[in-house]
Amino acid sequence: RLENGLKIFGEDEKGIYPSPFLKTFRKGEGFTLIELVVSIALLGFLVLGSAQIFPRALSLINRGESLTNAANLAQDQMESMLTLSYETVPLGLAETRHLVSPNFERETAVNYVDPQTFALIAINQGLKRINVRVFYGTPFGPRLYEISTIINES
C-alpha cells in the first residue's frame, strides 16, 4: 500500500501506479498527437453520421402529416355522404375535384354496384359505392389517398 492508503496495482521502471487506468497518465505524460487526431476523426465521423438522420426524419414526419391530413379530409367527406339517405346520395361525380385545403384536392364519385360481383354497373340494383379521393403534393411527387364504402337501399 501507498502512504495515502491506496492499493498498489502495479509497478514498472517509471514507478508505482495506484490504478490500472492511471498507468498511462503519470506526471508529465499525456495524449500523443496521433491519438488526438484519431479520436477527433472518430468523433467527427460519429457526428456527421448522426447528422444525416435528421433531414430524413423530418421528411418522414412531413410525409406522415400530409397522409394524416389527406385521411382526415377523405373521412370528413365520407361521413357527410353517409348522413344522406340512399335516394339522396347523388349518382356520378358528387363532388368535382377542387381545392379543400392548401395543397389538398378532393373529389367524390358515386356509382351503382352489382350485388354479386361488386362491379360498377349502370342500373340500380340496390347498392351504391361512394369513393372519395384526396390528391396532395409531397416533396416525393403527387400522392393519392382513396377510401370507398358501399351503401344499400333499405
Side-chain angles (χ1 to χ4, degrees):
R1 292 196 175 268
L2 296 176
E3 294 172 3
N4 60 5
L6 292 175
K7 183 177 178 184
I8 298 174
F9 283 93
E11 186 174 353
D12 60 14
E13 68 279 354
K14 294 184 181 180
I16 297 172
Y17 50 93
S19 165
F21 303 110
L22 296 177
K23 180 179 180 182
T24 59
F25 297 108
R26 284 190 216 98
K27 187 175 183 178
E29 293 185 8
F31 290 113
T32 65
L33 184 60
I34 293 174
E35 290 173 326
L36 188 61
V37 169
V38 168
S39 61
I40 289 173
L42 286 173
L43 185 62
F45 283 127
L46 290 173
V47 169
L48 289 175
S50 62
Q52 292 176 357
I53 294 171
F54 293 108
R56 178 69 176 154
L58 287 176
S59 69
L60 290 174
I61 288 169
N62 289 338
R63 188 174 180 183
E65 183 180 346
S66 293
L67 181 60
T68 300
N69 288 339
N72 288 337
L73 290 168
Q75 189 62 38
D76 182 52
Q77 177 63 12
M78 183 63 76
E79 288 177 11
S80 67
M81 294 295 287
L82 292 174
T83 62
L84 304 174
S85 67
Y86 180 87
E87 295 79 23
T88 59
V89 172
L91 196 61
L93 205 54
E95 178 187 43
T96 58
R97 185 172 173 170
H98 67 286
L99 193 66
V100 290
S101 181
N103 202 33
F104 292 88
E105 297 177 350
R106 181 177 65 201
E107 77 177 7
T108 305
V110 180
N111 298 298
Y112 291 127
V113 178
D114 182 299
Q116 277 76 40
T117 64
F118 295 107
L120 303 181
I121 56 176
I123 55 173
N124 186 4
Q125 292 190 357
L127 293 179
K128 287 182 182 177
R129 184 184 80 172
I130 302 171
N131 188 41
V132 180
R133 300 171 69 173
V134 176
F135 305 89
Y136 60 100
T138 68
F140 308 106
R143 299 281 187 220
L144 168 68
Y145 183 84
E146 184 173 15
I147 58 173
S148 297
T149 192
I150 295 176
I151 59 173
N152 66 337
E153 190 174 27
S154 299

PDB file of all heavy atoms in Angstrom, residues 34 65 78 94 114 123 154:
ATOM      1  N   ILE A  34      -0.971  11.815 -32.498  1.00  0.00           N
ATOM      2  CA  ILE A  34      -1.674  10.805 -33.310  1.00  0.00           C
ATOM      3  C   ILE A  34      -2.940  10.344 -32.603  1.00  0.00           C
ATOM      4  O   ILE A  34      -3.998  10.218 -33.218  1.00  0.00           O
ATOM      5  CB  ILE A  34      -0.742   9.614 -33.614  1.00  0.00           C
ATOM      6  CG1 ILE A  34       0.384  10.072 -34.527  1.00  0.00           C
ATOM      7  CG2 ILE A  34      -1.513   8.474 -34.251  1.00  0.00           C
ATOM      8  CD1 ILE A  34       1.449   9.019 -34.769  1.00  0.00           C
ATOM      9  N   GLU A  65     -47.533  13.628 -41.796  1.00  0.00           N
ATOM     10  CA  GLU A  65     -48.504  14.690 -41.549  1.00  0.00           C
ATOM     11  C   GLU A  65     -49.416  14.894 -42.761  1.00  0.00           C
ATOM     12  O   GLU A  65     -50.635  15.039 -42.611  1.00  0.00           O
ATOM     13  CB  GLU A  65     -47.762  15.988 -41.228  1.00  0.00           C
ATOM     14  CG  GLU A  65     -48.664  17.144 -40.877  1.00  0.00           C
ATOM     15  CD  GLU A  65     -47.889  18.414 -40.561  1.00  0.00           C
ATOM     16  OE1 GLU A  65     -46.668  18.343 -40.363  1.00  0.00           O
ATOM     17  OE2 GLU A  65     -48.528  19.474 -40.514  1.00  0.00           O
ATOM     18  N   MET A  78     -66.586  11.438 -46.452  1.00  0.00           N
ATOM     19  CA  MET A  78     -67.308  10.162 -46.396  1.00  0.00           C
ATOM     20  C   MET A  78     -68.408  10.220 -45.341  1.00  0.00           C
ATOM     21  O   MET A  78     -69.539   9.788 -45.575  1.00  0.00           O
ATOM     22  CB  MET A  78     -66.335   9.019 -46.094  1.00  0.00           C
ATOM     23  CG  MET A  78     -66.983   7.654 -46.090  1.00  0.00           C
ATOM     24  SD  MET A  78     -67.679   7.161 -47.689  1.00  0.00           S
ATOM     25  CE  MET A  78     -66.193   6.727 -48.561  1.00  0.00           C
ATOM     26  N   ALA A  94     -70.208  13.293 -57.487  1.00  0.00           N
ATOM     27  CA  ALA A  94     -70.933  14.031 -56.451  1.00  0.00           C
ATOM     28  C   ALA A  94     -70.183  15.286 -56.027  1.00  0.00           C
ATOM     29  O   ALA A  94     -70.786  16.260 -55.593  1.00  0.00           O
ATOM     30  CB  ALA A  94     -71.170  13.128 -55.246  1.00  0.00           C
ATOM     31  N   ASP A 114     -73.004  -3.941 -58.669  1.00  0.00           N
ATOM     32  CA  ASP A 114     -73.654  -5.236 -58.803  1.00  0.00           C
ATOM     33  C   ASP A 114     -73.545  -5.975 -57.471  1.00  0.00           C
ATOM     34  O   ASP A 114     -72.449  -6.115 -56.928  1.00  0.00           O
ATOM     35  CB  ASP A 114     -72.965  -6.035 -59.912  1.00  0.00           C
ATOM     36  CG  ASP A 114     -73.633  -7.378 -60.147  1.00  0.00           C
ATOM     37  OD1 ASP A 114     -73.665  -8.204 -59.204  1.00  0.00           O
ATOM     38  OD2 ASP A 114     -74.116  -7.613 -61.265  1.00  0.00           O
ATOM     39  N   ILE A 123     -77.220   0.334 -63.857  1.00  0.00           N
ATOM     40  CA  ILE A 123     -78.606   0.310 -63.361  1.00  0.00           C
ATOM     41  C   ILE A 123     -78.633   0.065 -61.851  1.00  0.00           C
ATOM     42  O   ILE A 123     -77.740  -0.570 -61.289  1.00  0.00           O
ATOM     43  CB  ILE A 123     -79.445  -0.768 -64.086  1.00  0.00           C
ATOM     44  CG1 ILE A 123     -78.786  -2.136 -63.986  1.00  0.00           C
ATOM     45  CG2 ILE A 123     -79.661  -0.401 -65.536  1.00  0.00           C
ATOM     46  CD1 ILE A 123     -79.623  -3.262 -64.523  1.00  0.00           C
ATOM     47  N   SER A 154     -82.473   0.639 -48.294  1.00  0.00           N
ATOM     48  CA  SER A 154     -83.218  -0.021 -47.224  1.00  0.00           C
ATOM     49  C   SER A 154     -84.701   0.185 -47.394  1.00  0.00           C
ATOM     50  O   SER A 154     -85.193   1.207 -47.697  1.00  0.00           O
ATOM     51  CB  SER A 154     -82.787   0.518 -45.857  1.00  0.00           C
ATOM     52  OG  SER A 154     -81.416   0.264 -45.670  1.00  0.00           O
TER      53      SER A 154
END
